[in-house]
Amino acid sequence: MAQAEKLTGIVLSALAILYVYLATEYPYGLSHGVPGPGTLPVILGILLFLFSLGCTLRSSYWVEGEKKIWTGDTISLLTCLAFYLAYVITIQSLGFLLATFLYGLLTLKWLFRLEWLSATLYSLVLTALFHTAFYNLLGVPLPRGLSWKILEALSLLTTG
């Protein structure tokens, strides 16, 4: 099992390097505050490389019979799909911030069996990172929904 995972990680790392190299053919910097067409492919290629590197490194420390993070059972898969479907349905009404936070919290708590405090903190950090990446860096308009109404009300309470 460890050898197959190590080989997979090495092959994916090589493909990621090739992908990033080919993606740099497109402009990927900011031009007038707008990211170039190569920005997302470069980011995805770097993420693929990091995850495949993690796969390779993890295989070096693989212990047979070690408890897996996710057991692969059908209930967990269906739960994950239900959480995702609920996320897609509620993102417009709840807004990106609240829907993403709740999706992350439930997924981390239910599937990864994290403690409530850890799941809450990770979900907050991931939501902030995703919001910064998409809204601030890439300029993607995100659904505001209830999230913005709550933030506006809080800011009115703190300033008034």
Side-chain angles (χ1 to χ4, degrees):
M1 181 72 169
Q3 292 298 348
E5 189 170 343
K6 184 180 280 187
L7 181 62
T8 301
I10 291 170
V11 169
L12 284 176
S13 294
L15 287 173
I17 291 169
L18 177 65
Y19 183 80
V20 169
Y21 172 74
L22 293 173
T24 58
E25 298 284 323
Y26 296 102
Y28 55 91
L30 288 176
S31 174
H32 305 296
V34 177
T39 303
L40 186 60
V42 167
I43 291 171
L44 291 176
I46 291 170
L47 286 174
L48 176 61
F49 176 76
L50 291 175
F51 285 127
S52 59
L53 184 64
C55 181
T56 304
L57 293 175
R58 180 175 175 260
S59 68
S60 300
Y61 300 106
W62 184 272
V63 177
E64 288 299 325
E66 184 178 300
K67 183 180 175 187
K68 296 178 183 177
I69 293 175
W70 182 61
T71 59
D73 59 305
T74 306
I75 301 278
S76 294
L77 177 63
L78 293 175
T79 303
C80 185
L81 290 175
F83 287 162
Y84 184 68
L85 181 62
Y87 176 71
V88 169
I89 291 170
T90 61
I91 194 168
Q92 288 296 327
S93 60
L94 292 179
F96 177 82
L97 293 173
L98 192 55
T100 303
F101 170 74
L102 291 173
Y103 172 72
L105 178 68
L106 292 173
T107 302
L108 290 169
K109 180 63 183 156
W110 180 267
L111 293 177
F112 293 99
R113 313 265 193 268
L114 293 182
E115 298 294 324
W116 279 108
L117 180 61
S118 298
T120 302
L121 291 175
Y122 286 140
S123 186
L124 280 172
V125 169
L126 288 173
T127 300
L129 286 173
F130 289 148
H131 184 268
T132 301
F134 285 104
Y135 188 74
N136 297 348
L137 297 177
L138 297 176
V140 175
L142 299 172
R144 292 185 173 196
L146 181 62
S147 304
W148 283 97
K149 291 178 184 176
I150 291 171
L151 290 175
E152 287 172 350
L154 289 175
S155 68
L156 288 175
L157 290 174
T158 58
T159 59

